[in-house]
């Protein structure tokens, strides 16, 4: 069994077709078929059902697929690490982050990192925390910035988490709006009575907010549902409704005003996760240090407006 055979197997599984997989890998189809046959012989099991051109994974193939993807990702990480050890001014960092962090913390970090290390390739993946942790565990990411609303929400045992920040969730409205009546805080019951814009269902923030309403026996008045962060903020700025957002996104948003939630106060934890069974490349280590340093700066400032952002851990 070798990496070329695993790559061929993964590509056939992805495309569901030998001809398309061969074209993607720049191989002749007979060569690809031989690689798959050799791999099956080495493993002692068929990996694909081949019925009238319909290619599907067998039970053995389903078991092998996540392992093969992880082995290929690890091999790629080793290649980049060897380039760094050879003294090349190159490398790669694959960072994953939740949408709210992509428009705040991550934007600051990537700008500073690219200035300091212009030769390093940067790959950013945006998604929900659960999906990012799955991709991290599978070898598709080097680092993942995740958010949780409970301290006990930890990554899998194979992953390591560095607590960074605890951030307050605030209610935002258009800057010219009078829905807060000049007050600096409102209750959850008062929030439920306001026209509200909610996020797409893959946002961890939406689940936390809806859970708080459910536990209080409240039904929010939703006027727009299923939006992404930028769309939510733009709709709020135009007066369509209010939204619950992390305090960090208020930076450089003069079109918004905010109020804190007083009962209950909602917060979220921001952490940096990485695999514990694979050493970080030098480029990923540099990114990790820069993320931690940026979090320290944000914590030293103490927040945005009256909302709190403090160092976690």
């Amino acid at each position: 069994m070798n990496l070329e055979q695993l790559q061929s197997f993964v590509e056939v599984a992805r495309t569901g077709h030998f001809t398309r997989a061969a074209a993607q890998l720049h191989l002749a189809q007979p060569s690809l078929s031989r690689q798959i046959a050799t791999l099956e012989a080495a493993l002692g099991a068929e990996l694909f059902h081949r019925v009238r051109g319909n290619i599907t994974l067998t039970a053995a193939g389903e078991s092998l697929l996540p392992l093969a993807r992880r082995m290929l990702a690890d091999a790629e990480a080793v290649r980049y690490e060897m380039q760094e050890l050879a003294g090349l001014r190159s490398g790669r960092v694959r960072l994953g982050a939740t949408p709210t962090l992509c428009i705040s913390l991550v934007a600051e970090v990537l700008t500073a990192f690219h200035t300091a290390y212009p030769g390093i390739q940067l790959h950013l993946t945006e998604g929900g925390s659960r999906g990012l942790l799955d991709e991290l565990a599978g070898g598709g990411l080097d680092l993942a910035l995740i958010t949780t609303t409970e301290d006990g929400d930890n990554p899998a045992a194979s992953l390591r988490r560095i607590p960074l920040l605890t951030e307050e969730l605030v209610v935002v409205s258009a800057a010219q709006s009078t829905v807060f009546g000049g007050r600096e805080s409102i209750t959850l019951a008062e929030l439920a009575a306001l026209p509200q814009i909610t996020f797409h269902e893959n946002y961890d923030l939406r689940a936390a907010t809806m859970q708080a309403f459910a536990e209080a026996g409240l039904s929010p008045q939703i006027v727009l549902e299923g939006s992404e962060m930028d769309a939510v903020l733009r709709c709020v700025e135009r007066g369509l409704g209010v939204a619950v957002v992390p305090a960090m996104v208020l930076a450089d948003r003069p079109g918004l005003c905010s109020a804190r939630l007083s009962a209950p106060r909602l917060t979220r934890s921001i952490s940096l996760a990485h695999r514990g069974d694979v050493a970080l490349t030098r480029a990923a280590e540099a990114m990790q240090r820069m993320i931690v340093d940026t979090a320290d700066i944000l914590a030293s400032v103490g927040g945005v407006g009256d909302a709190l952002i403090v160092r976690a851990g």
Side-chain angles (χ1 to χ4, degrees), residues 104-126:
S104 51
L105 176 62
V106 171
E108 297 293 331
V109 169
L110 293 187
T111 301
F113 188 88
H114 180 67
T115 300
Y117 307 100
I120 304 298
Q121 298 176 28
L122 298 173
H123 298 267
L124 178 62
T125 298
E126 184 176 336

Side-chain angles (χ1 to χ4, degrees), residues 205-217:
L205 180 60
R206 170 181 170 144
T209 306
M210 292 301 108
Q211 181 180 345
F213 282 125
E215 291 176 352

Side-chain angles (χ1 to χ4, degrees), residues 8-313:
S8 295
F9 163 69
V10 168
E11 193 61 29
V12 173
R14 186 185 71 82
T15 61
H17 201 280
F18 274 78
T19 302
R20 285 196 290 269
Q24 289 294 322
L25 296 169
H26 305 290
L27 291 174
Q29 184 173 333
S31 298
L32 175 65
S33 298
R34 281 195 298 272
Q35 287 188 356
I36 297 298
T38 302
L39 179 60
E40 289 177 324
L43 296 174
E46 289 190 356
L47 300 174
F48 296 103
H49 294 297
R50 303 167 176 86
V51 181
R52 297 179 183 177
N54 184 26
I55 307 299
T56 58
L57 288 168
T58 64
E62 293 281 2
S63 297
L64 177 61
L65 185 58
L67 298 175
R69 285 173 172 162
R70 181 167 171 174
M71 292 170 69
L72 291 169
D74 288 348
E76 186 73 358
V78 169
R79 185 174 74 84
Y80 276 97
E81 179 69 9
M82 292 303 101
Q83 288 179 342
E84 292 174 338
L85 291 176
L88 299 176
R89 292 186 178 181
S90 63
R92 176 194 64 180
V93 179
R94 300 165 301 170
L95 174 65
T98 62
T100 54
L101 293 177
C102 281
I103 66 170
S104 51
L105 176 62
V106 171
E108 297 293 331
V109 169
L110 293 187
T111 301
F113 188 88
H114 180 67
T115 300
Y117 307 100
I120 304 298
Q121 298 176 28
L122 298 173
H123 298 267
L124 178 62
T125 298
E126 184 176 336
S129 293
R130 288 190 185 90
L132 292 175
L133 290 176
D134 288 342
E135 193 162 353
L136 183 64
L141 294 173
D142 301 307
L143 300 165
L145 273 164
I146 61 170
T147 60
T148 55
T149 53
E150 297 180 9
D151 291 337
D153 232 355
N154 291 313
S158 62
L159 303 179
R160 299 290 180 268
R161 189 182 74 167
I162 303 172
L164 294 177
L165 298 166
T166 298
E167 180 181 20
E168 190 173 349
L169 304 183
V170 298
V171 185
V172 292
S173 71
Q176 71 275 13
S177 172
T178 59
V179 295
F180 299 144
R183 292 175 299 162
E184 295 182 353
S185 65
I186 64 172
T187 66
L188 195 66
E190 290 170 328
L191 171 61
L194 296 175
Q196 189 173 155
I197 304 169
T198 64
F199 292 96
H200 192 276
E201 61 183 8
N202 66 354
Y203 275 61
D204 306 304
L205 180 60
R206 170 181 170 144
T209 306
M210 292 301 108
Q211 181 180 345
F213 282 125
E215 291 176 352
L218 298 169
S219 297
Q221 180 187 338
I222 297 174
V223 295
L224 178 62
E225 186 173 13
S227 299
E228 301 292 342
M229 175 59 71
D230 189 60
V232 167
L233 296 178
R234 288 182 182 274
C235 287
V236 171
E237 286 173 339
R238 284 158 177 75
L240 183 61
V242 301
V244 178
V245 300
M248 209 178 294
V249 305
L250 288 171
D252 300 320
R253 287 278 181 175
L256 296 174
C257 65
S258 66
R260 303 172 74 179
L261 275 168
S262 58
R265 182 159 293 171
L266 300 180
T267 62
R268 70 172 185 175
S269 298
I270 300 170
S271 302
L272 180 64
H274 64 91
R275 283 175 58 183
D277 57 344
V278 176
L280 291 174
T281 65
R282 293 184 180 181
E285 285 181 343
M287 174 67 78
Q288 178 176 279
R289 287 194 300 271
M290 190 162 288
I291 290 172
V292 172
D293 289 345
T294 303
D296 286 338
I297 293 171
L298 286 172
S300 68
V301 173
V304 180
D306 294 324
L308 297 178
I309 300 175
V310 298
R311 193 70 166 88

